[in-house]
């Protein structure tokens, strides 16, 4: 049924230890390592991988080891992988992703699709990580946290989410509703300003998160 996004609730409500990055090309692919854009972001990406590797594996690995190999799961989606992830949710999302001219909005679509399928920790490639985001309640058997969704709330000016960082469990309803809203936006014939896409997503995330907090415990 292509009239709605498929929604199959995931058994796990915990955020897995998986780092997720997106870009037009896979900047960690050796074939693009000498590209100007890749050279700009690779040191930052490797630093992010390194500090999470330190936090998740006991802190016994040097940054040199982190640069040569990653011992923690990393999923770097290029445009082709983004389209596949979106297509498997709804074919029209992949079409709109392909037609979208602005990279920032492509990233909005792709990060949601990636986290919807696998869960994990998403960070923009230009986000300079100072220390890893960790949660107090970590399970020892599943190597994941009991927290189900995390992002950054900016308190300056309007109340908005800083979407350069998102962490979520797979098939989170927040991600699902966000993708639904974005699909509706792209499908509308009377589209407003391009920036409304980001505004809608931010408002929706806040609305869904608030409703979930207010919902009675089952």
């Amino acid at each position: 049924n292509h009239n709605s996004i498929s929604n199959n609730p995931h058994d796990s409500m915990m955020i897995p230890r998986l780092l997720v990055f997106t870009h037009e090309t896979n900047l960690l692919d050796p074939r693009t390592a000498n590209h100007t854009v890749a050279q700009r972001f690779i040191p930052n990406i490797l630093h992010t991988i390194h500090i999470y590797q330190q936090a998740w594996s006991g802190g016994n690995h040097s940054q040199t080891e982190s640069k040569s190999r990653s011992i923690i799961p990393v999923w770097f989606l290029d445009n082709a992988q983004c389209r596949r992830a979106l297509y498997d949710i709804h074919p029209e999302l992949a079409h709109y992703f392909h037609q979208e001219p602005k990279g920032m909005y492509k990233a909005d679509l792709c990060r949601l699709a990636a986290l919807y399928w696998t869960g994990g920790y998403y960070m923009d490639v230009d986000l300079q990580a100072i220390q890893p985001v960790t949660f107090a309640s970590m399970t020892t058997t599943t190597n994941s946290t009991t927290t189900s969704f995390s992002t950054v709330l900016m308190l300056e000016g309007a109340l908005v989410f800083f979407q350069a960082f998102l962490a979520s469990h797979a098939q989170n309803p927040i991600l699902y509703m966000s993708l639904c809203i974005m699909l509706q936006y792209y499908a509308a014939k009377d589209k407003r300003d391009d920036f409304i896409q980001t505004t809608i997503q931010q408002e929706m995330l806040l609305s869904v998160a608030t409703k979930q907090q207010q919902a009675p415990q089952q």
Side-chain angles (χ1 to χ4, degrees):
N1 180 7
H2 295 326
N3 294 322
S4 61
I5 295 175
S6 60
N7 183 24
N8 299 315
H10 195 268
D11 292 336
S12 174
M13 299 291 287
M14 299 179 292
I15 303 173
R17 288 179 171 180
L18 167 68
L19 294 182
V20 177
F21 301 97
T22 69
H23 196 265
E24 180 181 1
T25 60
N26 183 348
L27 300 179
L28 295 179
D29 189 327
R31 293 171 295 180
T32 61
N34 293 325
H35 191 276
T36 302
V37 176
Q39 290 297 319
R40 176 185 173 191
F41 294 121
I42 281 178
N44 189 62
I45 297 168
L46 293 179
H47 172 69
T48 299
I49 293 173
H50 169 68
I51 65 171
Y52 275 88
Q53 180 172 294
Q54 292 284 84
W56 292 348
S57 61
N60 296 322
H61 303 277
S62 68
Q63 190 160 5
T64 301
E65 291 175 315
S66 297
K67 289 182 178 180
S68 62
R69 64 185 180 90
S70 174
I71 63 172
I72 59 175
V74 176
W75 188 19
F76 202 118
L77 292 86
D78 59 16
N79 276 359
Q81 287 188 313
C82 289
R83 283 193 295 269
R84 284 195 294 269
L86 286 161
Y87 185 90
D88 288 342
I89 297 173
H90 195 294
E92 289 187 17
L93 283 173
H95 169 72
Y96 295 135
F97 174 88
H98 181 71
Q99 295 294 321
E100 174 57 60
K102 295 188 177 181
M104 68 178 76
Y105 297 150
K106 283 181 178 287
D108 284 344
L109 284 163
C110 187
R111 78 188 72 179
L112 293 175
L115 291 178
Y116 180 79
W117 285 122
T118 65
Y121 296 71
Y122 167 86
M123 279 153 283
D124 281 356
V125 295
D126 61 348
L127 186 66
Q128 297 183 356
I130 299 175
Q131 62 184 26
V133 176
T134 57
F135 303 99
S137 52
M138 299 294 295
T139 64
T140 56
T141 55
T142 62
N143 205 32
S144 57
T145 174
T146 54
T147 301
S148 62
F149 183 83
S150 178
T151 187
V152 180
L153 189 64
M154 299 179 66
L155 300 179
E156 296 181 3
L159 190 64
V160 296
F161 285 115
F162 182 62
Q163 299 172 79
F165 171 84
L166 286 174
S168 175
H169 69 74
Q171 298 190 13
N172 192 314
I174 296 176
L175 305 179
Y176 168 71
M177 289 301 300
S178 184
L179 287 165
C180 287
I181 292 291
M182 295 172 83
L183 179 59
Q184 293 171 8
Y185 162 78
Y186 276 110
K189 294 182 179 180
D190 56 340
K191 292 182 181 177
R192 290 169 283 173
D193 186 271
D194 285 344
F195 290 101
I196 197 66
Q197 174 182 338
T198 302
T199 302
I200 287 175
Q201 183 177 345
Q202 291 169 345
E203 292 177 350
M204 184 283 312
L205 286 171
L206 181 60
S207 174
V208 174
T210 301
K211 288 180 180 178
Q212 284 194 325
Q213 287 182 339
Q214 296 175 347
Q217 298 295 322
Q218 300 296 326

